[in-house]
Amino acid sequence: MAPPGILNRYLLLMAQEHLEFRLPEIKSLLSLFGGQFISSQETYGKSPFWILSIPSEDIARNLMKRTVCAKSIFELWGHGKCPEELYSSLKNYPVEKMVPFLHSDSTYKIKIHTFNKTLTQEEKVKRIDALEFLPFEGKVNLKKPQHVFSILEDYGLDPNHIPENPHNIYFGRWIADGQRELIESYSVKKRHFIGNTSMDAGLSFIMANHGKVKKNDIVFDPFVGTGGLLIASAHFGAYVYGTDIDYNTVHGLGKASRKNQKWRGPDENIRANLRQYGLEKYYLDVLVSDASKPSWRKGTYFDAIITDPPYGIRESTRRTGSQKEIPKGIEKCPESHVPVSLSYHLSDMFFDLLNFSAETLVLGGRLVYWLPVYTPEYTEEMVPWHPCLKLISNCEQKLSSHTSRRLITMEKVKEFENRDQYSHLLSDHFLLYQVLLLAFMDSQFECAYLKTSRRPVLPKQKGSRPSATFSLFFLFCSSEFQQISNSSVIILFGFLDVICGT
């Protein structure tokens, strides 16, 4: 371990998947284990090699026990852009740090890892022999060595133009591997209970890591579906709880989502999923409930809220209704009946989610959720905002050429007050995001959705986008529009010009 105040350098070998999610995951996990993200690298981008400064090897090992974005971590002994630079760097590495791993009673082996190029066995042996100046005194053991050392060579990102010589060469002592195997062992394909929108296992673990989920936390999912996000949190030792408006999904009833299976079986439910992975002890409960009308007493209950709200594409956005909310022109229901399928518009849903999180998260707790966007008109200013929540990260996953969803991570930094409940109505973000959702829904369906069910839904016409035009007109006539600044009016008319081509 390095003396206090001195940070050792480590090399992270990253997986080339979900590139935008990697940096927030590593930062969140380092923060969780008492470290801090410190690096001399200016950019990370798509490179699989990251050099970090970490206070101790214990923190590095804890990091690798959680991450699904990193493959391995190494204590970095040397680094150069050519073999000569690497050898010079290794000769300057303190001998006292090498000796504990090179003494005569130890066993070791040296591995070669190349990115974007394959070496012959002869080339690998040549690179290993060139390290004979290092004071190795132990014996080589290829099967069960006590220490593993690696030479890692980076040949860039372009598979069509592979350079003859590497851009960077690294040498280090292997510390630990990441948790990439969880993606396969928790694969949705092997799970008892799945639905049309069950979250991919890899993304579920990434979301749990972004949320800094840890042992004995209480994690809540208000749009629980088939419980994929609960499984990832339970794997890390958190107690999990969820709600959903769909009775059949919560109770594992109705038609199956699997091919060649008509109805769900008796062992297809969320609890059975947790039981499948030996995690049933972390299951608190799952209830049928409406996220737009939380039934919780006031208080802070959750360490993290991790969820994937429905976007209205493969799963509809719904909420329970009331007699007052039945749209005009539709015959009223009997007095004793409450409609169960009123539309729950996306802008309302996300701001309800932020309010609920601000009320029920502990201070320092995190909200992690997916936000659908229409890419051509998206800006960061459109991300829903709340005075009690600080934006930590915002990562994009492409869905199509013009739509995507963004993984938003927020942290509670202020205790909730009653006046915070309607703060979004005074924020420029509110109407900006309504316009963005308008474009998103317009790009997905043959209609444009408005903010409330009392406003008309106008048909989309081929060759133009008049539905967005008239939707904005009704939006401008609304009471909320009167509360925004003049600068936002200019921005909104700018979006109108982009959307409608006027």
Side-chain angles (χ1 to χ4, degrees), residues 235-246:
H235 174 83
F236 294 133
Y239 293 93
V240 295
Y241 182 81
T243 60
D244 202 285
I245 198 170
D246 192 321

Side-chain angles (χ1 to χ4, degrees), residues 222-292:
F223 305 96
V224 69
T226 56
L229 300 179
L230 300 189
I231 293 171
S233 296
H235 174 83
F236 294 133
Y239 293 93
V240 295
Y241 182 81
T243 60
D244 202 285
I245 198 170
D246 192 321
Y247 179 93
N248 286 342
T249 299
V250 169
H251 292 279
L253 303 174
K255 291 185 178 180
S257 299
R258 296 185 189 279
K259 189 178 180 181
N260 301 325
Q261 182 181 338
K262 190 172 182 180
W263 302 103
R264 288 174 174 149
D267 201 31
E268 291 189 55
N269 54 65
I270 296 171
R271 187 168 197 151
N273 276 349
L274 288 156
R275 188 185 307 123
Q276 177 184 353
Y277 300 109
L279 303 172
E280 190 176 4
K281 65 179 180 180
Y282 296 112
Y283 177 84
L284 294 178
D285 207 348
V286 174
L287 303 178
V288 178
S289 179
D290 181 359
S292 72

Side-chain angles (χ1 to χ4, degrees), residues 10 18 20-21 54-55 73 96 106 110 113-115 129 157 180 199 332 340 355 359 363 378 408 422 428 465 488 498:
Y10 292 85
H18 302 310
E20 280 204 27
F21 301 82
I54 300 178
I73 193 168
E96 61 271 17
S106 65
I110 300 176
H113 177 90
T114 58
F115 181 76
D129 289 342
L157 299 168
R180 298 286 296 168
M199 182 62 64
K332 283 204 171 188
V340 296
N355 264 327
E359 284 192 73
L363 203 61
Y378 166 78
I408 307 297
Y422 302 105
D428 296 350
R465 299 180 67 181
S488 293
V498 171

Side-chain angles (χ1 to χ4, degrees), residues 321-495:
S322 68
Q323 290 286 341
K324 293 180 180 180
E325 294 175 302
I326 300 173
K328 291 181 180 179
I330 298 177
E331 187 177 343
K332 283 204 171 188
C333 305
E335 294 261 344
S336 60
H337 176 72
V338 177
V340 296
S341 190
L342 286 186
S343 181
Y344 189 19
H345 295 292
L346 288 175
S347 58
D348 293 332
M349 179 169 61
F350 286 110
F351 286 106
D352 284 348
L353 176 62
L354 264 62
N355 264 327
F356 176 77
S357 301
E359 284 192 73
T360 58
L361 279 172
V362 299
L363 203 61
R366 287 195 169 186
L367 164 66
V368 184
Y369 70 97
W370 289 99
L371 181 76
V373 299
Y374 181 65
T375 312
E377 290 151 24
Y378 166 78
T379 64
E380 288 192 7
E381 289 74 23
M382 293 177 172
V383 176
W385 167 90
H386 196 283
C388 298
L389 303 172
K390 176 186 175 182
L391 180 65
I392 301 297
S393 63
N394 177 354
C395 312
E396 183 184 36
Q397 183 189 28
K398 287 281 187 182
L399 300 177
S400 70
S401 60
H402 54 280
T403 60
S404 64
R405 61 178 182 175
R406 306 191 74 91
L407 184 62
I408 307 297
T409 302
M410 308 182 88
E411 186 171 301
K412 185 173 177 179
V413 294
K414 170 185 172 295
E415 291 293 356
F416 183 84
E417 301 176 51
N418 288 335
R419 63 183 179 182
D420 295 327
Q421 184 174 356
Y422 302 105
S423 58
H424 66 278
L425 293 176
L426 304 178
S427 167
D428 296 350
H429 294 232
F430 179 64
L431 284 177
L432 289 175
Y433 186 62
Q434 281 190 310
V435 174
L436 179 66
L437 283 179
L438 201 67
F440 175 83
M441 302 304 293
D442 199 30
S443 70
Q444 296 292 328
F445 306 105
E446 292 300 310
C447 60
Y449 283 83
L450 303 176
K451 181 179 181 294
T452 70
S453 58
R454 290 185 293 275
R455 294 176 187 145
V457 176
L458 300 167
K460 181 176 176 181
Q461 298 178 14
K462 293 183 179 180
S464 65
R465 299 180 67 181
S467 56
T469 309
F470 288 109
S471 298
L472 283 170
F473 171 76
F474 283 108
L475 187 62
F476 294 159
C477 294
S478 68
S479 58
E480 293 95 335
F481 180 72
Q482 309 303 321
Q483 303 181 50
I484 67 170
S485 64
N486 290 334
S487 61
S488 293
V489 174
I490 295 171
I491 293 171
L492 284 167
F493 275 104
F495 278 112

